PDB file of all heavy atoms in Angstrom:
ATOM      1  N   LEU A 324      45.700 -69.375-101.797  1.00 48.00           N
ATOM      2  CA  LEU A 324      45.545 -69.820-103.170  1.00 48.00           C
ATOM      3  C   LEU A 324      46.801 -69.543-103.992  1.00 48.00           C
ATOM      4  O   LEU A 324      47.206 -68.397-104.142  1.00 48.00           O
ATOM      5  CB  LEU A 324      44.355 -69.110-103.826  1.00 48.00           C
ATOM      6  CG  LEU A 324      42.995 -69.321-103.155  1.00 48.00           C
ATOM      7  CD1 LEU A 324      41.948 -68.512-103.884  1.00 48.00           C
ATOM      8  CD2 LEU A 324      42.624 -70.769-103.141  1.00 48.00           C
ATOM      9  N   ASN A 326      46.987 -71.181-107.106  1.00 66.00           N
ATOM     10  CA  ASN A 326      46.324 -71.199-108.402  1.00 66.00           C
ATOM     11  C   ASN A 326      44.865 -71.545-108.154  1.00 66.00           C
ATOM     12  O   ASN A 326      44.515 -72.720-108.041  1.00 66.00           O
ATOM     13  CB  ASN A 326      46.975 -72.242-109.320  1.00 66.00           C
ATOM     14  CG  ASN A 326      46.286 -72.317-110.667  1.00 66.00           C
ATOM     15  OD1 ASN A 326      45.702 -71.344-111.129  1.00 66.00           O
ATOM     16  ND2 ASN A 326      46.346 -73.483-111.290  1.00 66.00           N
ATOM     17  N   PRO A 327      44.016 -70.539-108.011  1.00 82.00           N
ATOM     18  CA  PRO A 327      42.601 -70.809-107.720  1.00 82.00           C
ATOM     19  C   PRO A 327      42.033 -71.870-108.654  1.00 82.00           C
ATOM     20  O   PRO A 327      42.010 -71.690-109.867  1.00 82.00           O
ATOM     21  CB  PRO A 327      41.948 -69.437-107.942  1.00 82.00           C
ATOM     22  CG  PRO A 327      43.041 -68.462-107.677  1.00 82.00           C
ATOM     23  CD  PRO A 327      44.288 -69.111-108.191  1.00 82.00           C
ATOM     24  N   ARG A 328      41.560 -72.958-108.066  1.00 86.00           N
ATOM     25  CA  ARG A 328      41.198 -74.123-108.867  1.00 86.00           C
ATOM     26  C   ARG A 328      40.024 -73.896-109.805  1.00 86.00           C
ATOM     27  O   ARG A 328      40.002 -74.406-110.913  1.00 86.00           O
ATOM     28  CB  ARG A 328      40.924 -75.308-107.937  1.00 86.00           C
ATOM     29  CG  ARG A 328      42.166 -75.833-107.248  1.00 86.00           C
ATOM     30  CD  ARG A 328      41.799 -76.613-105.997  1.00 86.00           C
ATOM     31  NE  ARG A 328      41.212 -75.725-105.002  1.00 86.00           N
ATOM     32  CZ  ARG A 328      40.554 -76.145-103.931  1.00 86.00           C
ATOM     33  NH1 ARG A 328      40.395 -77.432-103.739  1.00 86.00           N
ATOM     34  NH2 ARG A 328      40.062 -75.287-103.062  1.00 86.00           N
ATOM     35  N   LEU A 329      39.027 -73.116-109.372  1.00 95.00           N
ATOM     36  CA  LEU A 329      37.864 -72.902-110.221  1.00 95.00           C
ATOM     37  C   LEU A 329      38.151 -71.962-111.390  1.00 95.00           C
ATOM     38  O   LEU A 329      37.333 -71.842-112.298  1.00 95.00           O
ATOM     39  CB  LEU A 329      36.696 -72.364-109.391  1.00 95.00           C
ATOM     40  CG  LEU A 329      36.025 -73.376-108.448  1.00 95.00           C
ATOM     41  CD1 LEU A 329      34.925 -72.720-107.645  1.00 95.00           C
ATOM     42  CD2 LEU A 329      35.479 -74.570-109.219  1.00 95.00           C
ATOM     43  N   MET A 330      39.316 -71.326-111.387  1.00 93.00           N
ATOM     44  CA  MET A 330      39.674 -70.482-112.536  1.00 93.00           C
ATOM     45  C   MET A 330      39.833 -71.322-113.793  1.00 93.00           C
ATOM     46  O   MET A 330      39.663 -70.822-114.908  1.00 93.00           O
ATOM     47  CB  MET A 330      40.954 -69.703-112.248  1.00 93.00           C
ATOM     48  CG  MET A 330      40.755 -68.535-111.296  1.00 93.00           C
ATOM     49  SD  MET A 330      42.195 -67.456-111.175  1.00 93.00           S
ATOM     50  CE  MET A 330      42.163 -66.664-112.790  1.00 93.00           C
ATOM     51  N   ASN A 331      40.146 -72.602-113.608  1.00 91.00           N
ATOM     52  CA  ASN A 331      40.258 -73.501-114.755  1.00 91.00           C
ATOM     53  C   ASN A 331      38.918 -73.687-115.467  1.00 91.00           C
ATOM     54  O   ASN A 331      38.874 -74.091-116.629  1.00 91.00           O
ATOM     55  CB  ASN A 331      40.799 -74.860-114.317  1.00 91.00           C
ATOM     56  CG  ASN A 331      42.232 -74.776-113.831  1.00 91.00           C
ATOM     57  OD1 ASN A 331      43.105 -74.277-114.540  1.00 91.00           O
ATOM     58  ND2 ASN A 331      42.490 -75.244-112.616  1.00 91.00           N
ATOM     59  N   CYS A 332      37.839 -73.413-114.754  1.00 95.00           N
ATOM     60  CA  CYS A 332      36.505 -73.553-115.345  1.00 95.00           C
ATOM     61  C   CYS A 332      36.142 -72.347-116.203  1.00 95.00           C
ATOM     62  O   CYS A 332      35.176 -72.406-116.973  1.00 95.00           O
ATOM     63  CB  CYS A 332      35.467 -73.731-114.245  1.00 95.00           C
ATOM     64  SG  CYS A 332      35.712 -75.199-113.226  1.00 95.00           S
ATOM     65  N   ARG A 333      36.880 -71.265-116.025  1.00 95.00           N
ATOM     66  CA  ARG A 333      36.676 -70.042-116.808  1.00 95.00           C
ATOM     67  C   ARG A 333      35.242 -69.515-116.714  1.00 95.00           C
ATOM     68  O   ARG A 333      34.657 -69.087-117.714  1.00 95.00           O
ATOM     69  CB  ARG A 333      37.068 -70.263-118.274  1.00 95.00           C
ATOM     70  CG  ARG A 333      38.554 -70.557-118.452  1.00 95.00           C
ATOM     71  CD  ARG A 333      38.902 -70.757-119.921  1.00 95.00           C
ATOM     72  NE  ARG A 333      40.355 -70.904-120.089  1.00 95.00           N
ATOM     73  CZ  ARG A 333      41.007 -72.050-119.948  1.00 95.00           C
ATOM     74  NH1 ARG A 333      40.329 -73.157-119.629  1.00 95.00           N
ATOM     75  NH2 ARG A 333      42.303 -72.118-120.115  1.00 95.00           N
ATOM     76  N   PHE A 334      34.679 -69.564-115.513  1.00 97.00           N
ATOM     77  CA  PHE A 334      33.361 -68.959-115.325  1.00 97.00           C
ATOM     78  C   PHE A 334      33.485 -67.447-115.475  1.00 97.00           C
ATOM     79  O   PHE A 334      34.399 -66.837-114.919  1.00 97.00           O
ATOM     80  CB  PHE A 334      32.802 -69.280-113.936  1.00 97.00           C
ATOM     81  CG  PHE A 334      32.556 -70.740-113.689  1.00 97.00           C
ATOM     82  CD1 PHE A 334      33.059 -71.360-112.551  1.00 97.00           C
ATOM     83  CD2 PHE A 334      31.821 -71.497-114.578  1.00 97.00           C
ATOM     84  CE1 PHE A 334      32.833 -72.703-112.314  1.00 97.00           C
ATOM     85  CE2 PHE A 334      31.583 -72.853-114.352  1.00 97.00           C
ATOM     86  CZ  PHE A 334      32.101 -73.450-113.218  1.00 97.00           C
ATOM     87  N   ILE A 337      28.505 -65.831-112.022  1.00 98.00           N
ATOM     88  CA  ILE A 337      27.929 -66.765-111.052  1.00 98.00           C
ATOM     89  C   ILE A 337      26.575 -66.218-110.618  1.00 98.00           C
ATOM     90  O   ILE A 337      26.441 -65.008-110.358  1.00 98.00           O
ATOM     91  CB  ILE A 337      28.831 -66.947-109.813  1.00 98.00           C
ATOM     92  CG1 ILE A 337      30.196 -67.498-110.214  1.00 98.00           C
ATOM     93  CG2 ILE A 337      28.167 -67.885-108.801  1.00 98.00           C
ATOM     94  CD1 ILE A 337      31.173 -67.620-109.052  1.00 98.00           C
ATOM     95  N   ILE A 385      30.249 -68.980 -98.051  1.00 98.00           N
ATOM     96  CA  ILE A 385      30.701 -69.976 -99.025  1.00 98.00           C
ATOM     97  C   ILE A 385      30.726 -69.387-100.430  1.00 98.00           C
ATOM     98  O   ILE A 385      31.693 -69.564-101.174  1.00 98.00           O
ATOM     99  CB  ILE A 385      29.792 -71.229 -98.988  1.00 98.00           C
ATOM    100  CG1 ILE A 385      29.954 -71.959 -97.657  1.00 98.00           C
ATOM    101  CG2 ILE A 385      30.109 -72.174-100.149  1.00 98.00           C
ATOM    102  CD1 ILE A 385      28.956 -73.098 -97.451  1.00 98.00           C
ATOM    103  N   PHE A 388      33.793 -67.320-101.204  1.00 98.00           N
ATOM    104  CA  PHE A 388      35.001 -68.100-101.474  1.00 98.00           C
ATOM    105  C   PHE A 388      34.938 -68.762-102.848  1.00 98.00           C
ATOM    106  O   PHE A 388      35.959 -68.885-103.531  1.00 98.00           O
ATOM    107  CB  PHE A 388      35.215 -69.144-100.376  1.00 98.00           C
ATOM    108  CG  PHE A 388      35.628 -68.538 -99.064  1.00 98.00           C
ATOM    109  CD1 PHE A 388      34.798 -68.586 -97.967  1.00 98.00           C
ATOM    110  CD2 PHE A 388      36.855 -67.907 -98.933  1.00 98.00           C
ATOM    111  CE1 PHE A 388      35.168 -68.013 -96.756  1.00 98.00           C
ATOM    112  CE2 PHE A 388      37.240 -67.339 -97.727  1.00 98.00           C
ATOM    113  CZ  PHE A 388      36.395 -67.388 -96.636  1.00 98.00           C
ATOM    114  N   ILE A 389      33.743 -69.180-103.253  1.00 98.00           N
ATOM    115  CA  ILE A 389      33.596 -69.761-104.593  1.00 98.00           C
ATOM    116  C   ILE A 389      33.895 -68.711-105.662  1.00 98.00           C
ATOM    117  O   ILE A 389      34.565 -68.986-106.662  1.00 98.00           O
ATOM    118  CB  ILE A 389      32.184 -70.351-104.771  1.00 98.00           C
ATOM    119  CG1 ILE A 389      32.050 -71.631-103.934  1.00 98.00           C
ATOM    120  CG2 ILE A 389      31.891 -70.652-106.240  1.00 98.00           C
ATOM    121  CD1 ILE A 389      30.667 -72.258-103.953  1.00 98.00           C
ATOM    122  N   ALA A 390      33.419 -67.490-105.441  1.00 98.00           N
ATOM    123  CA  ALA A 390      33.696 -66.410-106.391  1.00 98.00           C
ATOM    124  C   ALA A 390      35.192 -66.130-106.467  1.00 98.00           C
ATOM    125  O   ALA A 390      35.753 -65.993-107.563  1.00 98.00           O
ATOM    126  CB  ALA A 390      32.937 -65.150-105.980  1.00 98.00           C
ATOM    127  N   VAL A 391      35.841 -66.052-105.315  1.00 97.00           N
ATOM    128  CA  VAL A 391      37.281 -65.786-105.284  1.00 97.00           C
ATOM    129  C   VAL A 391      38.050 -66.900-105.979  1.00 97.00           C
ATOM    130  O   VAL A 391      38.971 -66.646-106.767  1.00 97.00           O
ATOM    131  CB  VAL A 391      37.763 -65.621-103.829  1.00 97.00           C
ATOM    132  CG1 VAL A 391      39.283 -65.584-103.763  1.00 97.00           C
ATOM    133  CG2 VAL A 391      37.194 -64.347-103.229  1.00 97.00           C
ATOM    134  N   GLU A 392      37.660 -68.146-105.717  1.00 96.00           N
ATOM    135  CA  GLU A 392      38.327 -69.287-106.350  1.00 96.00           C
ATOM    136  C   GLU A 392      38.104 -69.285-107.864  1.00 96.00           C
ATOM    137  O   GLU A 392      38.883 -69.883-108.602  1.00 96.00           O
ATOM    138  CB  GLU A 392      37.798 -70.602-105.766  1.00 96.00           C
ATOM    139  CG  GLU A 392      38.439 -71.003-104.452  1.00 96.00           C
ATOM    140  CD  GLU A 392      39.541 -72.034-104.635  1.00 96.00           C
ATOM    141  OE1 GLU A 392      40.070 -72.161-105.762  1.00 96.00           O
ATOM    142  OE2 GLU A 392      39.875 -72.705-103.662  1.00 96.00           O
ATOM    143  N   SER A 393      37.053 -68.610-108.306  1.00 97.00           N
ATOM    144  CA  SER A 393      36.771 -68.520-109.743  1.00 97.00           C
ATOM    145  C   SER A 393      37.454 -67.312-110.373  1.00 97.00           C
ATOM    146  O   SER A 393      37.331 -67.089-111.583  1.00 97.00           O
ATOM    147  CB  SER A 393      35.261 -68.427-109.970  1.00 97.00           C
ATOM    148  OG  SER A 393      34.590 -69.561-109.451  1.00 97.00           O
ATOM    149  N   GLY A 394      38.137 -66.527-109.544  1.00 96.00           N
ATOM    150  CA  GLY A 394      38.802 -65.338-110.048  1.00 96.00           C
ATOM    151  C   GLY A 394      37.846 -64.199-110.359  1.00 96.00           C
ATOM    152  O   GLY A 394      38.154 -63.324-111.160  1.00 96.00           O
ATOM    153  N   LEU A 395      36.673 -64.224-109.691  1.00 97.00           N
ATOM    154  CA  LEU A 395      35.639 -63.216-109.937  1.00 97.00           C
ATOM    155  C   LEU A 395      35.425 -62.340-108.705  1.00 97.00           C
ATOM    156  O   LEU A 395      35.749 -62.747-107.580  1.00 97.00           O
ATOM    157  CB  LEU A 395      34.317 -63.896-110.308  1.00 97.00           C
ATOM    158  CG  LEU A 395      34.320 -64.723-111.599  1.00 97.00           C
ATOM    159  CD1 LEU A 395      32.986 -65.435-111.769  1.00 97.00           C
ATOM    160  CD2 LEU A 395      34.612 -63.841-112.808  1.00 97.00           C
ATOM    161  N   LEU A 470      28.061 -70.185-113.830  1.00 98.00           N
ATOM    162  CA  LEU A 470      27.794 -71.187-112.791  1.00 98.00           C
ATOM    163  C   LEU A 470      26.568 -70.749-112.012  1.00 98.00           C
ATOM    164  O   LEU A 470      26.470 -69.595-111.584  1.00 98.00           O
ATOM    165  CB  LEU A 470      28.991 -71.315-111.848  1.00 98.00           C
ATOM    166  CG  LEU A 470      28.816 -72.269-110.664  1.00 98.00           C
ATOM    167  CD1 LEU A 470      28.688 -73.713-111.144  1.00 98.00           C
ATOM    168  CD2 LEU A 470      29.978 -72.135-109.683  1.00 98.00           C
ATOM    169  N   ILE A 521      24.856 -76.245-109.558  1.00 98.00           N
ATOM    170  CA  ILE A 521      25.081 -76.930-108.284  1.00 98.00           C
ATOM    171  C   ILE A 521      23.837 -76.754-107.430  1.00 98.00           C
ATOM    172  O   ILE A 521      23.312 -75.648-107.293  1.00 98.00           O
ATOM    173  CB  ILE A 521      26.306 -76.357-107.548  1.00 98.00           C
ATOM    174  CG1 ILE A 521      27.575 -76.560-108.390  1.00 98.00           C
ATOM    175  CG2 ILE A 521      26.476 -77.017-106.174  1.00 98.00           C
ATOM    176  CD1 ILE A 521      28.793 -75.843-107.836  1.00 98.00           C
ATOM    177  N   ALA A 658      33.939 -74.470 -97.920  1.00 98.00           N
ATOM    178  CA  ALA A 658      34.080 -74.130 -99.336  1.00 98.00           C
ATOM    179  C   ALA A 658      35.218 -74.914 -99.972  1.00 98.00           C
ATOM    180  O   ALA A 658      35.104 -75.401-101.101  1.00 98.00           O
ATOM    181  CB  ALA A 658      34.321 -72.627 -99.491  1.00 98.00           C
ATOM    182  N   LEU A 661      34.048 -78.474-100.513  1.00 98.00           N
ATOM    183  CA  LEU A 661      33.076 -78.531-101.600  1.00 98.00           C
ATOM    184  C   LEU A 661      33.744 -78.415-102.959  1.00 98.00           C
ATOM    185  O   LEU A 661      33.402 -79.141-103.895  1.00 98.00           O
ATOM    186  CB  LEU A 661      32.044 -77.417-101.434  1.00 98.00           C
ATOM    187  CG  LEU A 661      31.006 -77.605-100.327  1.00 98.00           C
ATOM    188  CD1 LEU A 661      30.241 -76.308-100.091  1.00 98.00           C
ATOM    189  CD2 LEU A 661      30.041 -78.731-100.673  1.00 98.00           C
ATOM    190  N   ILE A 662      34.688 -77.501-103.066  1.00 97.00           N
ATOM    191  CA  ILE A 662      35.373 -77.318-104.345  1.00 97.00           C
ATOM    192  C   ILE A 662      36.151 -78.575-104.714  1.00 97.00           C
ATOM    193  O   ILE A 662      36.158 -79.000-105.871  1.00 97.00           O
ATOM    194  CB  ILE A 662      36.277 -76.070-104.297  1.00 97.00           C
ATOM    195  CG1 ILE A 662      35.399 -74.806-104.226  1.00 97.00           C
ATOM    196  CG2 ILE A 662      37.200 -76.019-105.515  1.00 97.00           C
ATOM    197  CD1 ILE A 662      36.155 -73.541-103.912  1.00 97.00           C
ATOM    198  N   ASP A 663      36.793 -79.186-103.733  1.00 96.00           N
ATOM    199  CA  ASP A 663      37.492 -80.452-103.992  1.00 96.00           C
ATOM    200  C   ASP A 663      36.524 -81.510-104.499  1.00 96.00           C
ATOM    201  O   ASP A 663      36.867 -82.335-105.358  1.00 96.00           O
ATOM    202  CB  ASP A 663      38.174 -80.959-102.714  1.00 96.00           C
ATOM    203  CG  ASP A 663      39.427 -80.175-102.361  1.00 96.00           C
ATOM    204  OD1 ASP A 663      39.963 -79.483-103.256  1.00 96.00           O
ATOM    205  OD2 ASP A 663      39.862 -80.235-101.196  1.00 96.00           O
ATOM    206  N   ILE A 665      33.380 -80.998-105.986  1.00 96.00           N
ATOM    207  CA  ILE A 665      32.629 -80.715-107.223  1.00 96.00           C
ATOM    208  C   ILE A 665      33.520 -80.507-108.438  1.00 96.00           C
ATOM    209  O   ILE A 665      33.066 -80.692-109.570  1.00 96.00           O
ATOM    210  CB  ILE A 665      31.725 -79.471-107.055  1.00 96.00           C
ATOM    211  CG1 ILE A 665      32.551 -78.198-106.881  1.00 96.00           C
ATOM    212  CG2 ILE A 665      30.755 -79.670-105.892  1.00 96.00           C
ATOM    213  CD1 ILE A 665      31.719 -76.925-106.794  1.00 96.00           C
ATOM    214  N   LEU A 666      34.775 -80.139-108.221  1.00 95.00           N
ATOM    215  CA  LEU A 666      35.629 -79.800-109.360  1.00 95.00           C
ATOM    216  C   LEU A 666      35.742 -80.923-110.385  1.00 95.00           C
ATOM    217  O   LEU A 666      35.627 -80.672-111.598  1.00 95.00           O
ATOM    218  CB  LEU A 666      37.016 -79.385-108.865  1.00 95.00           C
ATOM    219  CG  LEU A 666      37.947 -78.767-109.912  1.00 95.00           C
ATOM    220  CD1 LEU A 666      37.297 -77.566-110.584  1.00 95.00           C
ATOM    221  CD2 LEU A 666      39.275 -78.360-109.282  1.00 95.00           C
ATOM    222  N   PRO A 667      35.928 -82.195-109.969  1.00 94.00           N
ATOM    223  CA  PRO A 667      36.010 -83.267-110.967  1.00 94.00           C
ATOM    224  C   PRO A 667      34.699 -83.458-111.741  1.00 94.00           C
ATOM    225  O   PRO A 667      34.707 -84.074-112.811  1.00 94.00           O
ATOM    226  CB  PRO A 667      36.331 -84.508-110.120  1.00 94.00           C
ATOM    227  CG  PRO A 667      36.880 -83.993-108.838  1.00 94.00           C
ATOM    228  CD  PRO A 667      36.163 -82.704-108.599  1.00 94.00           C
ATOM    229  N   LEU A 669      32.681 -80.924-112.737  1.00 94.00           N
ATOM    230  CA  LEU A 669      32.434 -79.795-113.614  1.00 94.00           C
ATOM    231  C   LEU A 669      33.159 -79.977-114.941  1.00 94.00           C
ATOM    232  O   LEU A 669      34.140 -80.700-115.031  1.00 94.00           O
ATOM    233  CB  LEU A 669      32.899 -78.492-112.955  1.00 94.00           C
ATOM    234  CG  LEU A 669      32.056 -77.991-111.769  1.00 94.00           C
ATOM    235  CD1 LEU A 669      32.809 -76.919-110.993  1.00 94.00           C
ATOM    236  CD2 LEU A 669      30.712 -77.443-112.253  1.00 94.00           C
ATOM    237  N   CYS A 671      35.522 -78.694-116.621  1.00 82.00           N
ATOM    238  CA  CYS A 671      36.666 -77.794-116.554  1.00 82.00           C
ATOM    239  C   CYS A 671      37.939 -78.511-116.992  1.00 82.00           C
ATOM    240  O   CYS A 671      38.053 -79.730-116.858  1.00 82.00           O
ATOM    241  CB  CYS A 671      36.883 -77.262-115.131  1.00 82.00           C
ATOM    242  SG  CYS A 671      35.406 -76.553-114.383  1.00 82.00           S
ATOM    243  N   GLN A 672      38.890 -77.745-117.469  1.00 64.00           N
ATOM    244  CA  GLN A 672      40.204 -78.291-117.803  1.00 64.00           C
ATOM    245  C   GLN A 672      41.115 -78.088-116.602  1.00 64.00           C
ATOM    246  O   GLN A 672      41.494 -76.961-116.293  1.00 64.00           O
ATOM    247  CB  GLN A 672      40.785 -77.604-119.035  1.00 64.00           C
ATOM    248  CG  GLN A 672      39.982 -77.827-120.301  1.00 64.00           C
ATOM    249  CD  GLN A 672      40.555 -77.079-121.483  1.00 64.00           C
ATOM    250  OE1 GLN A 672      41.525 -76.351-121.364  1.00 64.00           O
ATOM    251  NE2 GLN A 672      39.938 -77.270-122.642  1.00 64.00           N
ATOM    252  N   VAL A 673      41.404 -79.155-115.896  1.00 54.00           N
ATOM    253  CA  VAL A 673      42.201 -79.064-114.670  1.00 54.00           C
ATOM    254  C   VAL A 673      43.627 -79.491-114.952  1.00 54.00           C
ATOM    255  O   VAL A 673      43.838 -80.520-115.587  1.00 54.00           O
ATOM    256  CB  VAL A 673      41.569 -79.929-113.563  1.00 54.00           C
ATOM    257  CG1 VAL A 673      42.361 -79.789-112.275  1.00 54.00           C
ATOM    258  CG2 VAL A 673      40.119 -79.521-113.342  1.00 54.00           C
TER     259      VAL A 673
END
Side-chain angles (χ1 to χ4, degrees):
L324 301 178
N326 178 27
R328 291 159 294 166
L329 288 178
M330 285 190 71
N331 293 306
C332 299
R333 296 181 174 85
F334 297 129
I337 300 176
I385 293 172
F388 289 113
I389 288 176
V391 170
E392 278 261 20
S393 300
L395 297 175
L470 176 66
I521 298 171
L661 286 168
I662 291 169
D663 285 342
I665 67 177
L666 190 56
L669 289 165
C671 309
Q672 296 177 357
V673 182

